Amino acid sequence: MIVTLTANPSLDRTVALPGPLQRGEVQRALSVRQESGGKGVNVSRALVASGLKTLAVLPGAEADPVLAGLRDTEVPFAALPIGEPLRSNVALTEPGGVTTKINEPGPVLSAEQQEALIGLLLDSARGASWVVLAGSLPPGVPADFYATVTRRLRSTHDGSEAPLIAVDSSGEPLAAAVSGDPLGMPDLLKPNAEELAELAAAAGFATDKSAEELEADPEAAATAAAAVVRSGVGAVLATLGSKGAVLVTADGAWLATHPPVTAVSTVGAGDSSLAGYLLAASQGAVPADCLRQAVAHGAAAASLPGSRVPAVHQTTPDAVTITALTKD
């Protein structure tokens, strides 16, 4: 089973526009979709769609629309009531897949609520193969929250029973994941190109390349990811938008590319990539084939409207090309 923790879940509304966003003008939407969201929630949704056992751990009251959405889509969850409504996010998608997101900060989590959420996760993660810690952190939660949760997971379980841990976040919470002690280092990090540059700097490797340059130069992306792996992280899965993704472990580095797809919405594509990786890893696939399924899932997600997630039968891993890279 794969358990996900979403500390700052959301109700995601995706508004499809008939043309480019016109600032200051009135535009009529082509369609509006609404789904329960947050990075960890999206990963669980994608795993459920492919028939893999998962549990989403999150804050939220029983009647909150986010939890109601999970029940409607039959995503198993364990929720901590916090006495406040969860946030709502809005994504505006233009033809061609250009997406503008407006994300609310979310409700404040007190120290007591943070501890209760960690306790709920520790109980839920017993026997899990992976735990995914994903998304932004709500107000009141320290930047090293994911590193703290990682240490707690490993210290609570015996070494042979502790789940593998994946982290997908940004900014300070992501940097904190590689700046602490080895017990707090994740087994897998899933940054995009911009976050990869931040991670490499936090690991002591400052790259002079922009996110756009890293997307266009997979060798440079692999070099930056290798610096993060040397800091103690087990592996880095760096998604590079339409350019595919790079996977770097202690044993090798690979680039995966997919033929171009017609992008409809990029919302949740990175989360689907992580779900695809975990799906393949849970089936015993080698790292390169985990990367293959990650890119296949991400490409399929980008071709779907709103924040819809693909099932494995909607993906085309055979269309993905894998290339070995040098990482130093």
Side-chain angles (χ1 to χ4, degrees):
M1 180 174 70
I2 296 174
V3 175
T4 65
L5 172 66
T6 308
N8 202 16
S10 57
L11 187 67
D12 290 346
R13 290 172 54 84
T14 303
V15 180
L17 299 175
L21 175 66
Q22 302 292 328
R23 294 183 60 191
E25 301 294 331
V26 175
Q27 290 177 268
R28 296 187 182 277
L30 287 177
S31 64
V32 179
R33 295 187 60 88
Q34 181 170 290
E35 285 117 351
S36 300
K39 284 185 172 294
V41 166
N42 290 339
V43 170
S44 283
R45 288 172 53 223
L47 293 174
V48 166
S50 294
L52 203 65
K53 188 176 181 182
T54 183
L55 180 72
V57 177
L58 69 165
E62 187 70 18
D64 194 279
V66 174
L67 271 60
L70 292 179
R71 282 190 292 271
D72 289 344
T73 52
E74 299 183 344
V75 176
F77 64 87
L80 174 74
I82 57 173
E84 291 187 57
L86 298 173
R87 62 181 179 149
S88 296
N89 295 336
V90 176
L92 306 175
T93 62
E94 304 172 38
V98 174
T99 303
T100 302
K101 298 184 70 176
I102 304 171
N103 292 350
E104 295 182 4
V108 175
L109 288 188
S110 67
E112 293 77 12
Q113 290 169 330
Q114 293 171 42
E115 182 60 32
L117 188 61
I118 293 174
L120 179 60
L121 176 67
L122 295 178
D123 290 341
S124 301
R126 297 188 184 280
S129 57
W130 281 88
V131 169
V132 178
L133 312 176
S136 64
L137 296 176
V141 177
D144 65 350
F145 181 75
Y146 288 145
T148 298
V149 172
T150 298
R151 287 191 294 270
R152 293 279 295 276
L153 280 164
R154 290 180 175 150
S155 62
T156 300
H157 300 86
D158 295 334
S160 60
E161 298 178 352
L164 296 172
I165 299 167
V167 173
D168 182 4
S169 189
S170 60
E172 292 184 1
L174 188 62
V178 300
S179 59
D181 63 88
L183 193 63
M185 295 280 190
D187 298 286
L188 176 68
L189 279 173
K190 207 298 293 169
N192 59 27
E194 182 177 354
E195 294 157 355
L196 177 60
E198 297 173 1
L199 274 172
F205 177 82
T207 176
D208 59 355
K209 292 185 178 294
S210 66
E212 292 77 11
E213 289 170 327
L214 286 176
E215 286 187 355
D217 188 348
E219 292 281 0
T223 298
V228 180
V229 170
R230 287 194 297 271
S231 73
V233 173
V236 174
L237 170 64
T239 51
L240 306 177
S242 62
K243 305 297 184 181
V246 165
L247 175 67
V248 177
T249 72
D251 299 321
W254 302 268
L255 166 69
T257 57
H258 191 284
V261 300
T262 301
V264 177
S265 171
T266 59
V267 178
D271 307 330
S272 290
S273 293
L274 178 53
Y277 181 99
L278 297 175
L279 177 65
S282 297
Q283 297 170 343
V286 298
D289 285 337
C290 293
L291 174 62
R292 181 188 303 277
Q293 190 59 55
V295 168
H297 254 77
S303 67
L304 296 174
S307 57
R308 285 182 58 188
V309 293
V312 67
H313 68 82
Q314 296 174 292
T315 70
T316 53
D318 290 344
V320 175
T321 300
I322 301 291
T323 305
L325 301 174
T326 58
K327 58 179 181 175
D328 298 313

